[in-house]
Amino acid sequence: MQAKIKQLADYRGIVSDAIIDEIGVKARELKGATVVHVNATNFGGGVAEILDNLVPLMNDIGLRADWRVLHGVPDFFEVTKKFHNALQGQDLVFDDQELQLFKFINEKFARFAFLDHDFVIIHDPQPAALVQYVAHTNPWVWRCHIDITHPSAQAWSFMEPFILDYQRMIVSAEEYKKPDLRIPQQIMAPSIDPISPKNMDLSEEVIAHYLDQYRIPTDKPFITQVSRFDPWKDPEGVLKVFELVKQQVDCRLVYCYNMSADDPEGVKIYERMLATAKPYLDSGDVLFIRGDDPVLVNVLQRTSSVILQKSTREGFGLTVTEAMWKGTPVVASNVGGIPTQIQDGVTGFLVEPLDLDGCAEKVVALLEDTDLAARIGQQAREYAREHFLITRHLLDYLNLLLSLK
Ligand code: UDP
């Protein structure tokens, strides 16, 4: 596949000229401004996906954008995954050693990462404490990508003093705003890049080549969930829904997964799922496919009859957007950022996370009615075009930076 560095002009024809022109005007006002994004991994998960696309484009339009990855160690990532889970609502308790390790890794990184850019954007909880270890007068923004509506009390009371040191907090949906937080908060939806290898159009030849190379049979329809092996993505639930669907329509399940450097839970859950799904893996009706190649993910999202996203919590759910953009109908849980993308019955189907029968019923309806699937898919694509492409996101960032100047 021919790789090419993207330019803003490449998006003409995909999005409106008006947005490209507005980006051009705002970018001129910020020409040469330095901005740094800091997160905890350069691979795996939605944040890395976004930065990988957004940072080069910021540079193309004249900013001087930088991306730093916090240097963690395995024990630190155990603690930060625990924070992730506690902030998303699990009842977990941290001991002093864990809290000290969290602060120590942040303090150490602050000693060798110079974050004296005009704007500093810190993503998610892992590097959130940096704000207290770097003396600064420049604006710092905390960009929180997870669902923090019901955090465990200890996790939030530990994290809140760091958050209060930021100029602004950004979340993905209205309900994530904290009513009593003493700093300004705003919403910014994430985005996908329509011309990245993950989302670009693919020829029939490329699709056939990938299906063949990864031995994905097409003699029956398949449904897919693309997700890390994470408890919030409910892999067990995905399997149960598949069992219910299969009683009515002969099909396969593809679970496309990758591992993220800052998520140590993945391997354990993968091993558990290997045991749980063994009979289906042996019969070839369930395939666990490692999705490190973005073109493979693209192929799966395009060729699946239905995309599932059975999460029990979901900050936003880029996998939903990715499928919507490809015109593949999505059945997803009515949680977190998913309902900002899916209007039930219009741009996909929403189901309650515990309602396995309801979820299976929607999947079956889409498998049996190709007109319905095509209509939902087409509506989803147009909704994604309007709301969740990278150009809108880039413009949101320009507006944010201008408001912080
Ligand atoms: N992803 C991938 N390969 C996989 C599984 C996931 O490339 O096997 C990508 C997926 O396409 C999406 C991102 O990882 O771009 C996941 O983002 P999302 O917001 O859905 O969930 P997160 O992992 O951030 O909780």
Side-chain angles (χ1 to χ4, degrees), residues 235-255:
E236 272 100 355
V238 172
L239 193 63
K240 286 185 188 143
V241 167
F242 167 69
E243 285 175 321
L244 292 169
V245 171
K246 198 164 161 59
Q247 286 167 13
Q248 296 182 64
V249 182
D250 191 19
C251 62
R252 291 195 173 84
L253 168 70
V254 173
Y255 196 107

Side-chain angles (χ1 to χ4, degrees), residues 87 142 148 151-161 163 178 181:
L87 290 169
W142 190 52
I148 47 165
S152 92
Q154 189 201 10
W156 182 249
S157 66
F158 175 79
M159 210 47 90
E160 190 176 14
I163 307 315
K178 293 259 159 216
L181 201 71

Side-chain angles (χ1 to χ4, degrees), residues 44-47 49 198 226-228 233 256-258 289-292 297 301 314 317-319 322:
V47 180
E49 178 77 18
K198 172 85 53 81
V226 177
S227 285
R228 291 177 293 109
K233 310 286 183 187
C256 175
Y257 70 99
N258 65 0
I289 297 181
R290 183 135 183 162
D292 289 336
V297 177
Q301 288 170 329
E314 190 62 76
L318 279 184
T319 50
E322 289 161 3

Side-chain angles (χ1 to χ4, degrees), residues 30 33-37 63 115-121 138-141 400-405:
L30 284 160
T34 55
V35 49
V36 61
H37 294 268
L63 275 72
L115 303 175
D116 49 3
H117 304 65
D118 297 324
F119 305 99
V120 178
I121 320 280
N138 50 349
W140 281 52
V141 173
L400 169 72
L401 301 187
L402 285 168
S403 75
L404 291 167
K405 255 183 30 162

